[in-house]
Structure formats: C-alpha cells, structure tokens
Amino acid sequence: MRYAFPAPSIPSIPVLGSSERFPVRRIYTIGRNYADHAAETGLGSASEPVPGISLKPSDSIWVEDRELPYPPMTEQLDPEIELVVAIGRDGTNVMKADALEHVFGYAVGYDMIRRDIMRECIANEHSWDLCKSFSGASPVSELRPASDFGHPNSGNITLEINGELRQQGNLSQMIWDTADIIARLSSYCSLRSGDIIFTGTPKGPKPVERGDKLSGVIEGVGHLELEIV
C-alpha cells in the first residue's frame, strides 16, 4: 500500500522486564468510578454515582520523557492518578467471569484534564473531547504483565505533588472493577488488543503549575514520576 505521505508511528508503552513494547490502539477513560470523587465534582451523587465512558486519542500517550510541557489554552491543568488496564486479547460481549483473561497488564497513569475547558464544555453542552485531547494528556508508566504479577483488585493509590499528598484511595473502592469495566465496554463495542483503559480516580485532584513534580504510586503496580515544564 502506498500512502500519500509517511504514516504516523504507532504510540507504544514499554513492558517491564522485556524489550517488547505494547502498541496502543485506542484509549478509553472511565469517569466517576470512585464515589468520593464523583461527589466532589458535583457530577454524581455519593449514594448513586454512575461511571461514565469517554475516549482519548492514542497519540496523547506520554512515556519515557518525564518532563511534560504545560498544554495551551488552559489555566487549570488537573492530573488524575489512575490504574491503567492494557487489553491483550480481542473480545465482544465478554462475560465478567472471563474478563480478566483479556488483560495483558497494568500501569500507573495520569489522566491530564484541562479543567477550565471541561467546565466550558459542560456549561455549553459540548463534547468533552478538547479537555482531554492534547499532546501529553495520557502519561503512563511501564506495563506490568498480568502473567507475571496477577490482577490487582485492592491496593493503595496515591499522588503527591512536590512531596505533598494530593490524592489517596484504594483500588477496592472502584464502583466498576476491572472485570466490570471490560464486560461493560465490550458490550458497547469490541475491545481489541492494544486498547488501554484508564479506570477512574479517587478524590482530591487539584491544579498543577509549571515546575511542579508529580509522584504517583499504585501498590503492586508501579510508580510514575513527572515534572510539569
């Protein structure tokens, strides 16, 4: 096949303990998956929060370079620490009992959000795409293969900014756990090898500025350090 111009490279994530890389096909994000965060945003009640699903472009992946440029057109950039699930096996209408068989591995990720743009989108009933779609919107650590480390269903998840604790929670607090997410997503559209899923964030996200240093840890999964420049 001959293209009109050179095809763009495929974004990829390094795999822990291997020279292989995980090619990224599509990025899904799950919102309001922790009740305390849903309550603080005002986008869901603490008693009956309903997680939401959105998409990000695959080229928003940011790996290896631990300096992240502050994006344009925003004055409120919020990082949200999240467990990232990497899909390694295709599936449609996957049963929850079989869902974890489709997982390649896990990583620590930051869902970077231009929060002021998000508020404008909500107020004007527009899509949220612009608040999450920019270069560097999806920093991710190296992937831990599930075949080597298993499937985390609990464990502390924390984010520190300049050494100060900003977010703290536990994976066990997710409303939809990993198996739920895979089963639900695959009923809407087929999941494919190369898809990754940001699974939601606990309460506490706040804006960062240039010069801020981020240090995120998910127990049993890994850590991700980043500086905003």
Side-chain angles (χ1 to χ4, degrees):
M1 181 182 296
R2 183 178 180 182
Y3 294 106
F5 50 85
S9 59
I10 298 174
S12 63
I13 303 171
V15 177
L16 181 65
S18 172
S19 60
E20 296 181 342
R21 298 182 69 92
F22 181 91
V24 178
R25 171 183 177 267
R26 185 177 291 177
I27 303 173
Y28 294 93
T29 66
I30 307 299
R32 304 191 299 273
N33 202 20
Y34 289 74
D36 52 7
H37 178 55
E40 73 178 351
T41 63
L43 298 176
S45 71
S47 59
E48 296 183 2
V50 179
I53 302 168
S54 58
L55 287 165
K56 303 179 78 171
S58 61
D59 63 0
S60 69
I61 285 289
W62 193 266
V63 295
E64 279 123 3
D65 188 349
R66 294 310 176 207
E67 292 187 345
L68 178 67
Y70 196 96
M73 299 301 293
T74 183
E75 296 181 357
Q76 185 176 353
L77 178 65
D78 289 7
E80 297 185 345
I81 185 169
E82 309 197 10
L83 175 70
V84 174
V85 178
I87 300 298
R89 176 179 163 189
D90 296 357
T92 305
N93 293 320
V94 176
M95 299 295 293
K96 181 177 178 180
D98 302 324
L100 296 183
E101 297 175 7
H102 294 259
V103 176
F104 174 87
Y106 298 89
V108 181
Y110 299 143
D111 186 5
M112 307 297 292
I113 299 175
R114 295 189 280 200
R115 191 75 67 183
D116 45 359
I117 294 179
M118 174 183 277
R119 286 196 294 267
E120 292 175 7
C121 291
I122 293 172
N124 292 287
E125 299 183 347
H126 292 164
S127 166
W128 291 14
D129 290 349
L130 285 179
C131 76
K132 291 189 171 192
S133 299
F134 53 90
S135 178
S138 307
V140 178
S141 72
E142 60 186 355
L143 282 170
R144 278 183 170 248
S147 58
D148 295 337
F149 299 96
H151 302 278
N153 54 23
S154 64
N156 291 327
I157 174 172
T158 60
L159 174 62
E160 293 184 355
I161 308 294
N162 301 325
E164 176 185 350
L165 185 62
R166 183 70 57 86
Q167 289 184 266
Q168 183 174 26
N170 195 286
L171 298 180
S172 63
Q173 297 171 327
M174 288 196 293
I175 298 165
W176 295 351
D177 62 18
T178 299
D180 279 322
I181 291 170
I182 292 171
R184 289 173 185 264
L185 270 179
S186 68
S187 67
Y188 286 100
C189 56
S190 296
L191 291 177
R192 296 284 184 252
S193 299
D195 290 344
I196 67 169
I197 306 166
F198 282 70
T199 59
T201 196
K203 69 176 180 179
K206 292 182 181 177
V208 291
E209 305 288 344
R210 292 177 179 85
D212 284 347
K213 293 180 172 60
L214 286 62
S215 179
V217 178
I218 300 180
E219 185 180 358
V221 176
H223 69 279
L224 178 58
E225 296 185 352
L226 197 68
E227 181 178 0
I228 307 300
V229 296

